[in-house]
Each structure stands twice: as C-alpha cells, then as structure tokens.
Amino acid sequence: MSFTLPTLDYSYDALEPNIDAKTMEIHHSKHHAGYTNKLNDAIKGTEFENKSIEQILMSPNIPDSIRNNGGGYFNHCLFWDNLCPQTISPSNQFMKIIDQNFGSFDNMKKEFENAASTRFGSGWAWLCSKNSNLSICSTSNQDNPLMDGQCGGVPIMGLDVWEHAYYLKYQNKRPDYINAFWNIVNWKNVETRYQASL
Ligand code: MN
C-alpha cells in the first residue's frame, strides 16, 4: 500500500487574497508531494507498510523519517480539508459546543491564535476533540496530537505555521496570516471531523 497526494477541492488561487496562489502551488505540489513520496519510501519493507496513517502516527517509537514525513503527509491532508474559498460558518449546534468549551467563539479564536503565534519555529496549531470536549494545542515540526507525548486528542482543525505556508505573502508577519485564516475555514468539515471522533 502507498499513500497518494490528495487533489484539492479548490484551485490554487481560490484562497486569494488570504493565501496566495504561488504559496498554495508550492505548498501542495512540492512540500506535500515531498512528504508523501518520502513517507512511501520510508515505510517500504517495514512493519508500517500496511498500516493506516493514523495507526502509523499513533505507534510508539516511530523512526524519525516516518514520524516527520508521516506527520507531514497527514497534517497537510487535514489542512487542505479544513480550508475553503469562503468561510463556511459553524452550525448552531457546533457553535453551542464551542461556547460550552471556551465560553465564546471569540475566546476559542484567541486561544487558537495564541497557540499559533507562540509556537517557536516551525509547527502547527490544533483544535482537538478529546472525550467529546474541544481543546487547543500546538506541536513542533510535523508532529501532531495523535503522536506519543502529545495531547492525545483527535485533531479536527489545524493551521500550518511553517514559514513555507505564508512567507511569500506575509514574510515575518505570522499574526496577519493567522488572522486571514479565519476567512477561509471550512467549519462544516471541522464539525464532520468532530462528529467522527465521538
Ligand atoms: Mn506545510
């Protein structure tokens, strides 16, 4: 079995001006494709060859090449899926769940923005589902919440804060990129992931 680069549900320029077309093209066709190919090479002939990506990531003591490229493969699949050309607002039902967990939608945003902006160097910010509750965390490099030693929740929304995700347009202004992210969140898909995690 091998993993394949997913095709996007939208064109590279569909997220403009929030994420520019050139960044999307390089991010998907070079970075994500690279993680996918390297993951396939790394699992060849190993005990991980016939496992799902979630099973691989949740395995203890995975070799670095599989951890980094498996995380890179999975994280970007999730990232593309929780983006869309125009924001799709949370349903009333999901908004209620956000309110119950964070007090308000704005509080959730603030906590997520804090996780994304304070992650030093390369990494990700996550909204997670754990025991039917929502929580926020961040991970370094291509780690994610499913991995050994992380929060143990199921990631339902992720934001890539590697410089390759924003540097062409935003340079050093990571907070501006984080702000723009809210304009292109597909809350319908985030909610679907939440429901599936229960
Ligand atoms: Mn990336």
Side-chain angles (χ1 to χ4, degrees):
M1 197 182 87
S2 65
F3 295 100
T4 52
L5 181 69
T7 52
L8 302 184
D9 290 338
Y10 40 81
S11 58
Y12 288 141
D13 64 359
L15 306 179
E16 295 262 13
N18 301 288
I19 302 178
D20 62 285
K22 192 73 188 165
T23 296
M24 284 300 297
E25 182 188 345
I26 297 170
H27 204 172
H28 177 256
S29 72
K30 305 288 187 224
H31 290 280
H32 197 187
Y35 294 123
T36 307
N37 294 336
K38 286 178 189 160
L39 171 63
N40 287 330
D41 288 345
I43 59 174
K44 209 170 281 172
T46 73
E47 58 180 307
F48 300 101
E49 200 165 14
N50 293 307
K51 291 186 171 169
S52 71
I53 187 63
E54 288 86 354
Q55 286 173 320
I56 291 173
L57 301 180
M58 290 165 76
S59 303
N61 305 318
I62 35 178
D64 281 350
S65 61
I66 299 180
R67 185 182 187 104
N68 293 334
N69 293 299
Y73 172 74
F74 175 89
N75 295 348
H76 290 87
C77 289
L78 195 151
F79 185 46
W80 310 136
D81 187 64
N82 65 227
L83 297 176
C84 61
Q86 285 170 323
T87 189
I88 297 177
S89 299
S91 68
N92 290 340
Q93 191 195 350
F94 196 55
M95 195 62 106
K96 212 175 278 174
I97 294 165
I98 291 172
D99 286 346
Q100 282 164 0
N101 281 274
F102 298 98
S104 70
F105 187 70
D106 278 350
N107 283 349
M108 181 278 298
K109 279 175 66 177
K110 228 178 274 173
E111 198 177 320
F112 188 88
E113 286 166 4
N114 186 52
S117 59
T118 59
R119 165 53 54 190
F120 185 76
S122 299
W124 292 76
W126 303 101
L127 178 65
C128 295
S129 165
K130 194 176 180 185
N131 306 322
S132 81
N133 291 318
L134 297 177
S135 56
I136 283 163
C137 72
S138 79
T139 57
S140 67
N141 301 318
Q142 294 297 356
D143 282 0
N144 72 54
L146 296 174
M147 289 175 171
D148 214 20
Q150 302 297 347
C151 86
V154 175
I156 60 171
M157 180 176 82
L159 175 61
D160 189 344
V161 296
W162 283 58
E163 284 188 344
H164 70 224
Y166 64 86
Y167 204 84
L168 287 183
K169 180 179 169 76
Y170 294 96
Q171 292 87 45
N172 60 315
K173 299 185 286 282
R174 189 194 285 185
D176 291 357
Y177 161 71
I178 297 169
N179 267 329
F181 169 66
W182 299 119
N183 297 329
I184 47 173
V185 175
N186 187 332
W187 284 103
K188 185 167 175 282
N189 287 356
V190 176
E191 181 174 357
T192 299
R193 283 180 186 277
Y194 172 74
Q195 296 296 346
S197 75
L198 299 179

